[in-house]
Amino acid sequence: MPEKKYKRIDGRAPDELRPFSMRVGILKNADGSAEIRLGKNWIIIAVYGPREYYPKFEASQERAILNCRYHMVPFSTTERKPPKPSRREIELSKVIREALEPALILEEFPEMGIDVYIEVIQASGGTRVSSITAASLALADAGIPMRDLVVGCSAGKVDGKIVLDLNEEEDKEGEADLALALMPSLNKITLLQMDGQLAPDEFKEAVELAKKGALKLYKAQIEALRKRIEEMR
Amino acid sequence: MREKKQPLSVYLLSKQVRQLIELNKRIDGRDLYSFREMRIKTGIVEKADGSAVVELGKTMVVAGVKFEIGAPFPDSPDEGILIVEGEILPLASVSEEPGPPTEEEIELSRVIDRGIRGAKVINLKDLAIKPGEKVLKVFVDFNVMNDAGNVIDASNIAVISALLTAKYPDIKELKGGRDINEASRVQLPTHNIPISVTFANLFGKLVVDPITEEEVIADARLTLTLTSEERICAVQKGGSGTLTFNQLFEALNIARRVSNDIRKLVIRETGVRHGQE
Amino acid sequence: MSGEEILKEDKNIVVPGEVVERDPKKAGENTKVTERGVVSTRLGVIQKVGRKISIIPYSGPYRPRDGDLVIGVVVGYAPNGWFVDIGAGVKAFLPATERFKGKFDPRIHDLKEAFKLGDVLAAKILVAERLGAPLLTLRGNKNLGKMSTNWFIKVPVVKIARIIGKKGSMLRILEKGTNSRVMVGQNGVLAIEGTYEAYVKIKKAVNLISEKTFLKGLTEQVSKLIAGEENA
């Protein structure tokens, strides 16, 4: 029997991203803001800072302290999620902060704090990497000096095949799910997490695939940022 | 009025409020009794059973409805449960911080809740599956994404728009033992469209739909929530200042006029008329 | 495509991480010298200033510099002075001696009589880099001190240069066309001394400058607006 072209649950090719869009500068009060949609994911980011860090005795004399809060609204998931931060949200807040920190030139703002607030309005697989991609835009929108943007993408193993950008069903039913974020011009990894099981060559394949997906999203990041200035011409 | 930290721009602009209000002018050029431009979009979160995003000027609120099955309250065994809760997110302004609900957020939630309950938007008896054992619980959560003033009215419109367009699992099917995730979805029967109108008392003059620069300098705040029949279903005076009785009754007259225009907008955007079964 | 290759289109608008120049000696404002070359640290537009390549940033916080004229709001009292919000992450400090001509005596002088909470002041930054708050002074300009006008406009800090214009040309259009005086705070605050109508006109013009900063013919559009020939 001739081999049919492999199609996933939602009809995508193995290396195909879900439809996505990015917008910069959508909230008025925040110093910087952005929105990302990827498949059913809808995430809004606000950046405040640099601003006074409290409590003062915990501020650093050498650099600004980055604070990151990943949070989901109660109606973002299939089952209602109570507003209080869950252990998952707390862990994601930490790894997202650690994904963004290397890109920020925090030494320029000693004694201060920079707050990144991530709010997931609808979640459908890959929210942490999408949050990082959008947070990067919001930080650039705020004018925080950066060494590079940060962009993230997921890949994994579903039905025995290595695929890009797992949606919620693939995440639940699949054999492995890998989240990657990097600084694309510097080619340095800033977030890497995995769930499930992969053989070493599968792992390598998944990482390379996630990177390819991330670079496609990087292109969109640049367009979204450049658009802001083009609108001023 | 609010002692919360504000950005420099708010302090600077609020200095003009007094000078202008004496000429019956407002700093954004509006009439005393005009709402800011409002945009409503519903059904924007697929996973929610009902949802809406409202932009009132630059104030932005997202609301979502989720249904669950649970036990009824012991004193009302044949009624479903409605829970309305909101948060002003840290995204919303420089003064918001992550943490447990503040007294402001709790007051906000309860005022919106009273308006919905007082207007009897939903008949809770419609939500009983097996009296005494199983009923539908309706959670309406709302989140303020940007606070540029008057989160009360913006939140109320978001909540009501989400409820009016919500789809709930067919009770007949649930009674027959169907799983909530498998049951057909039907329009939630709603019976009223309560609209809140919030005023700020600025140096003796009332203004409708205050922006942040007006809120920080206002004497007091008054919210009147009116049903589709112009009956009052919730009232809240806010802030540590005062109102006169004259102002109260003047506000009621203005609210009756103004709420009807807002209701027309909600009906247009949601496609739902009140009193529909 | 690699990260580097993606960036090759449209060299005039740059994003953080983009290489703008190979020669490290040409590194200007908002750039960083790295092993890849001179890299932009901001979203912005490339500008050649003399021999250096700088980036005009799209946005960014106010970074106080010595000598800056700033307009801020009194937000707190200290035993020997006032805390002033100048929109820069950290509050600035104005010593009482600045107002009481070097002879401040807390037994006789009441801080609140000079400047109260909520008062708007014009001041100069005496020392920006200081552990704690930037230090303010009221000396060096006769217009410093409490502001009598109520007409303020807050603009993004990065737009101030464009609002002033080359050798003050844009600012003169705003002032002459409305018969008013505009004091410009480097922290993004404009104070208008004039009528309410003048303020409304200037606010419209300043919004146009902020939204269409890189428009060709912006100066002409602003002149038209001030003259009353408004376009849609």
Side-chain angles (χ1 to χ4, degrees):
Chain A
M1 190 151 93
E3 201 193 301
K4 283 227 283 269
K5 201 161 177 200
Y6 174 75
K7 284 249 156 142
R8 295 150 73 174
I9 304 174
D10 57 3
R12 279 186 289 154
D15 63 349
E16 199 181 327
L17 285 166
R18 286 170 284 179
F20 63 86
S21 69
M22 300 178 198
R23 273 200 308 158
V24 177
I26 50 152
L27 297 176
K28 184 210 170 214
N29 290 347
D31 293 316
S33 59
E35 168 193 85
I36 186 168
R37 290 179 194 257
L38 174 68
K40 292 199 184 135
N41 289 310
W42 181 13
I43 304 168
I44 293 182
I45 319 278
V47 167
Y48 283 92
R51 56 182 180 176
E52 267 185 287
Y53 186 83
Y54 294 108
K56 282 213 143 139
F57 60 85
E58 284 187 12
S60 161
Q61 291 190 331
E62 301 190 322
R63 60 218 296 272
I65 293 180
L66 177 67
N67 166 58
C68 202
R69 182 197 191 230
Y70 170 97
H71 184 255
M72 305 173 83
V73 301
F75 45 90
S76 61
T77 46
T78 311
E79 301 295 324
R80 177 181 179 264
K81 192 212 144 282
K84 187 164 166 231
S86 63
R87 287 160 62 86
R88 177 178 170 274
E89 285 166 302
I90 293 171
E91 187 208 351
L92 291 189
S93 300
K94 177 178 191 281
V95 298
I96 292 172
R97 183 188 79 235
E98 292 169 344
L100 296 169
E101 243 178 285
L104 305 182
I105 306 178
L106 297 172
E107 305 78 63
E108 285 200 21
F109 302 100
E111 312 268 350
M112 303 220 204
I114 297 172
D115 292 301
V116 176
Y117 297 124
I118 298 163
E119 206 66 35
V120 179
I121 314 285
Q122 185 160 253
S124 186
T127 57
R128 88 197 61 187
V129 288
S130 305
S131 299
I132 290 167
T133 303
S136 212
L137 291 176
L139 287 161
D141 186 39
I144 308 287
M146 298 167 82
R147 300 187 167 85
D148 197 356
L149 294 176
V150 188
V151 65
C153 197
S154 69
K157 186 173 168 190
V158 179
D159 266 343
K161 278 202 85 73
I162 302 294
V163 294
L164 177 67
D165 183 29
L166 277 64
N167 66 22
E168 192 177 5
E169 292 77 33
E170 293 177 318
D171 196 346
K172 256 199 317 207
E173 312 292 333
E175 294 92 85
D177 180 20
L178 180 129
L180 168 77
L182 69 150
M183 290 192 283
S185 295
L186 293 171
N187 207 24
K188 295 228 164 90
I189 297 171
T190 63
L191 176 134
L192 188 61
Q193 289 185 291
M194 206 205 82
D195 231 336
Q197 235 190 84
L198 288 172
D201 58 314
E202 289 176 327
F203 177 77
K204 194 159 181 286
E205 196 187 334
V207 170
E208 294 295 335
L209 188 56
K211 182 178 167 186
K212 255 180 79 182
L215 289 178
K216 287 197 184 132
L217 293 167
Y218 177 49
K219 200 159 182 229
Q221 279 180 314
I222 296 167
E223 271 166 38
L225 288 175
R226 285 196 175 143
K227 192 165 172 213
R228 297 295 286 162
I229 294 193
E230 275 155 19
E231 286 166 352
M232 293 178 166
R233 291 191 153 151
Chain B
M1 186 172 75
R2 271 168 159 192
E3 269 96 18
K4 303 200 306 191
K5 180 186 190 304
Q6 299 294 342
L8 181 58
S9 57
V10 167
Y11 290 128
L12 292 172
L13 285 174
S14 64
K15 297 210 85 65
Q16 298 163 16
V17 172
R18 178 161 212 165
Q19 196 171 346
L20 289 177
I21 203 73
E22 264 148 42
L23 307 166
N24 287 339
K25 283 204 203 325
R26 296 170 78 173
I27 62 178
D28 58 1
R30 272 187 292 157
D31 288 333
L32 299 185
Y33 309 139
S34 289
F35 266 81
R36 287 166 286 175
E37 193 193 317
M38 178 154 46
R39 283 166 302 279
I40 306 170
K41 273 199 268 219
T42 58
I44 36 106
V45 180
E46 268 178 61
K47 288 197 163 194
D49 298 313
S51 60
V53 61
V54 171
E55 285 172 88
L56 176 58
K58 299 261 163 59
T59 294
M60 179 181 169
V61 182
V62 180
V65 178
K66 295 289 273 182
F67 291 96
E68 280 179 11
I69 294 185
F73 290 132
D75 55 353
S76 46
D78 60 343
E79 284 182 9
I81 293 176
L82 170 68
I83 297 177
V84 179
E85 253 174 36
E87 261 197 274
I88 304 177
L89 295 175
L91 286 79
S93 75
V94 298
S95 47
E96 295 304 318
E97 276 168 23
T102 60
E103 58 179 26
E104 188 193 357
E105 288 169 307
I106 291 174
E107 183 193 26
L108 175 64
S109 300
R110 290 169 65 87
V111 168
I112 305 291
D113 177 276
R114 284 198 284 273
I116 303 291
R117 241 174 260 280
K120 301 196 174 68
V121 176
I122 306 177
N123 184 351
L124 293 178
K125 292 207 198 305
D126 285 345
L127 304 179
I129 303 168
K130 195 162 181 207
E133 278 180 46
K134 275 202 293 190
V135 297
L136 268 184
K137 290 166 82 160
V138 189
F139 289 94
V140 190
D141 293 286
F142 63 94
N143 296 98
V144 180
M145 314 282 304
N146 196 71
D147 180 359
N150 195 10
V151 295
I152 294 176
D153 292 351
S155 300
N156 186 68
I157 295 166
V159 165
I160 194 69
S161 300
L163 270 175
L164 290 174
T165 54
K167 301 273 191 279
Y168 79 139
D170 193 329
I171 291 285
K172 287 198 285 292
E173 293 184 23
L174 294 179
K175 283 183 173 154
R178 252 254 163 85
D179 183 70
I180 190 173
N181 290 317
E182 253 111 77
S184 328
R185 289 298 166 131
V186 285
Q187 187 70 32
L188 177 70
T190 53
H191 305 277
N192 211 293
I193 304 180
I195 299 292
S196 67
V197 180
T198 297
F199 297 81
N201 178 11
L202 295 177
F203 306 105
K205 296 223 172 131
L206 290 174
V207 299
V208 164
D209 183 27
I211 50 176
T212 309
E213 292 85 349
E214 294 170 328
E215 285 178 339
V216 300
I217 209 164
D219 203 336
R221 177 196 78 209
L222 174 70
T223 300
L224 294 167
T225 309
L226 303 181
T227 67
S228 304
E229 299 80 28
E230 289 183 17
R231 294 162 70 90
I232 303 142
C233 58
V235 180
Q236 186 88 349
K237 172 262 176 187
S240 45
T242 62
L243 288 166
T244 65
F245 288 90
N246 277 348
Q247 284 179 314
L248 172 61
F249 299 123
E250 188 194 334
L252 179 55
N253 285 336
I254 299 164
R256 291 176 68 181
R257 269 194 346 254
V258 167
S259 63
N260 283 319
D261 292 330
I262 303 293
R263 190 172 292 104
K264 285 196 190 106
L265 196 68
V266 171
I267 289 172
R268 197 170 64 222
E269 290 303 328
T270 60
V272 172
R273 320 207 122 265
H274 77 88
Q276 53 118 55
E277 305 302 299
Chain C
M1 267 220 275
S2 71
E4 292 268 351
E5 286 162 344
I6 288 169
L7 290 169
K8 288 249 152 78
E9 303 128 29
D10 191 349
K11 285 296 287 179
N12 196 239
I13 302 176
V14 293
V15 300
E18 195 165 343
V19 177
V20 296
E21 169 58 53
R22 294 279 160 205
D23 183 356
K25 289 200 283 287
K26 293 196 179 155
E29 301 238 327
N30 300 310
T31 64
K32 196 172 171 68
V33 177
T34 72
E35 28 181 54
R36 290 186 298 135
V38 178
V39 154
S40 171
T41 59
R42 311 282 278 274
L43 166 65
V45 172
I46 293 181
Q47 186 183 53
K48 284 191 170 55
V49 185
R51 307 202 69 224
K52 302 223 186 222
I53 309 277
S54 292
I55 313 295
I56 310 174
Y58 157 82
S59 63
Y62 171 54
R63 317 285 301 271
R65 282 169 314 189
D66 293 0
D68 274 358
L69 191 150
V70 294
I71 298 170
V73 173
V74 177
V75 291
Y77 304 110
N80 56 339
W82 302 268
F83 286 109
V84 183
D85 184 354
I86 56 172
V90 188
K91 293 192 262 289
F93 183 71
L94 177 68
T97 47
E98 288 288 332
R99 174 66 178 70
F100 293 104
K101 309 235 187 283
K103 299 191 196 79
F104 174 60
D105 184 344
R107 294 170 301 177
I108 316 169
H109 301 124
D110 183 2
L111 285 176
K112 298 178 193 187
E113 266 177 40
F115 303 127
K116 293 192 310 296
L117 293 187
D119 280 351
V120 183
L121 304 177
K124 268 196 159 192
I125 307 255
L126 188 63
V127 185
E129 290 300 320
R130 194 175 154 264
L131 208 64
L135 207 55
L136 297 175
T137 178
L138 296 177
R139 287 166 286 143
N141 187 317
K142 63 176 164 61
N143 293 313
L144 301 182
K146 183 165 162 179
M147 305 238 63
S148 50
T149 180
N150 280 332
W151 309 129
F152 302 106
I153 304 174
K154 179 77 182 70
V155 299
V157 170
V158 296
K159 307 292 174 187
I160 288 290
R162 195 71 190 85
I163 290 168
I164 295 175
K166 230 179 233 167
K167 298 202 214 283
S169 51
M170 184 71 90
L171 195 64
R172 264 194 297 284
I173 295 174
L174 301 177
E175 287 180 318
K176 287 207 157 63
T178 58
N179 203 21
S180 54
R181 274 208 57 230
V182 179
M183 185 186 284
V184 177
Q186 293 295 323
N187 61 327
V189 179
L190 306 175
I192 320 293
E193 258 154 72
T195 61
Y196 172 63
E197 288 71 27
Y199 159 71
V200 170
K201 255 202 188 150
I202 294 177
K203 196 155 85 140
K204 282 204 179 97
V206 162
N207 282 341
L208 180 64
I209 298 170
S210 296
E211 279 162 29
K212 292 284 176 192
T213 319
F214 303 106
L215 180 70
K216 272 192 162 78
L218 175 65
T219 313
E220 211 189 299
Q221 292 256 34
V222 171
S223 300
K224 277 202 188 131
L225 209 152
I226 293 285
E229 306 147 32
E230 312 204 355
N231 32 356

